[in-house]
Amino acid sequence: DGVLEYDGKTWRKITITNQSIIRSLAVDESNIIFVGAVGEFGYLSPNEQGDLRYISLTSKLDSSVRDFQDIYSILLFPGKVYFCAINAIFEYDYTTVKKGVALPRFSFLSFKADQRILTGHYLQGILQVEKDTLVLAKGGDAFSKMNVFSIFPYRDHFKVLTGSEGIFAFNPETGFVGSNIVDPGSRHWFLNNIFYKGQLLADDCMMFATLYK
């Protein structure tokens, strides 16, 4: 029901407007901390005493577009921040906030891929945001009937991490989709434990997390 801050000695909880679960955090180049919760999003800003407090951006939205739940990801672009739920993406330009694009049923998580926003859709595959609309990303239909949990850059392409189908190379610029890099002997283990998060490490290695083990 809040963000925990640690000063090296003690913990302090920074409560948010609706006291819901925090789902995502992101820090921009100016060290502004953005917060995504359940039905709520905003940022942390210091008060006159220098203590961080939560500032709601949801309160700036028209009541007609507040029909969202978990903000699972926050995507940072030059001059803009995108708060991503599974049914909508909200755009904040550091002055105003608006509902940028509505996501169709069966949409899931959204990701930053260079200067693109990509969204996983269970039936269609990987979709791409273009202005205020959604289109099928080039080669994105290869991921139809897959739950896409993570997309991250790796060398000259992106790695697409699916829940149980494996890990694939993907280039939305060319439409290239590589073969599954998970060893056949390990697929049963990953099928049972479900890929959940992938991350590129500094030494060009990749780190993966699963839901259960």
Side-chain angles (χ1 to χ4, degrees):
D1 59 353
V3 178
L4 292 177
E5 179 187 34
Y6 183 61
D7 63 6
K9 293 182 179 180
T10 59
W11 289 92
R12 183 174 75 94
K13 183 170 71 173
I14 304 168
T15 58
I16 65 171
T17 303
N18 65 356
Q19 298 185 341
S20 63
I21 297 171
I22 304 301
R23 293 298 193 190
S24 54
L25 295 170
V27 184
D28 72 1
E29 293 182 347
S30 299
N31 291 320
I32 298 174
I33 302 171
F34 294 97
V35 181
V38 181
E40 176 65 36
F41 59 84
Y43 62 94
L44 302 182
S45 179
N47 59 18
E48 293 180 355
Q49 290 73 41
D51 296 324
L52 290 175
R53 58 175 180 167
Y54 178 75
I55 306 296
S56 175
L57 291 173
T58 306
S59 62
K60 299 179 180 295
L61 288 171
D62 188 273
S63 59
S64 64
V65 297
R66 295 184 190 176
D67 56 337
F68 65 94
Q69 291 296 314
D70 304 75
I71 299 294
Y72 281 117
S73 58
I74 302 171
L75 310 179
L76 303 176
F77 288 80
K80 290 186 179 180
V81 183
Y82 294 90
F83 297 88
C84 307
I86 62 172
N87 66 324
I89 297 175
F90 298 90
E91 178 186 307
Y92 175 56
D93 64 2
Y94 290 82
T95 301
T96 59
V97 60
K98 67 176 184 177
K99 185 175 182 178
V101 60
L103 300 179
R105 187 184 179 192
F106 302 116
S107 296
F108 194 31
L109 304 179
S110 297
F111 312 92
K112 180 181 179 181
D114 289 335
Q115 295 305 306
R116 300 177 178 86
I117 296 177
L118 301 178
T119 297
H121 188 277
Y122 184 72
L123 297 182
Q124 298 181 51
I126 294 179
L127 307 179
Q128 179 174 318
V129 176
E130 290 190 357
K131 296 183 179 179
D132 292 337
T133 62
L134 277 175
V135 299
L136 183 66
K138 188 179 294 186
D141 56 337
F143 300 94
S144 174
K145 303 293 181 69
M146 298 185 189
N147 287 314
V148 176
F149 278 97
S150 191
I151 299 177
F152 60 93
Y154 183 76
R155 297 178 181 174
D156 61 348
H157 60 273
F158 294 89
K159 293 298 185 187
V160 176
L161 181 70
T162 65
S164 55
E165 290 79 7
I167 305 168
F168 304 85
F170 176 51
N171 188 328
E173 183 70 32
T174 64
F176 168 77
V177 178
S179 57
N180 190 352
I181 67 170
V182 177
D183 181 87
S186 304
R187 289 180 189 174
H188 180 72
W189 189 90
F190 285 110
L191 179 65
N192 289 333
N193 293 290
I194 304 179
F195 281 121
Y196 184 69
K197 182 68 176 178
Q199 183 69 45
L200 179 65
L201 302 179
D203 57 1
D204 208 32
C205 291
M206 294 177 284
M207 176 179 66
F208 303 106
T210 60
L211 277 177
Y212 302 118
K213 290 185 180 180

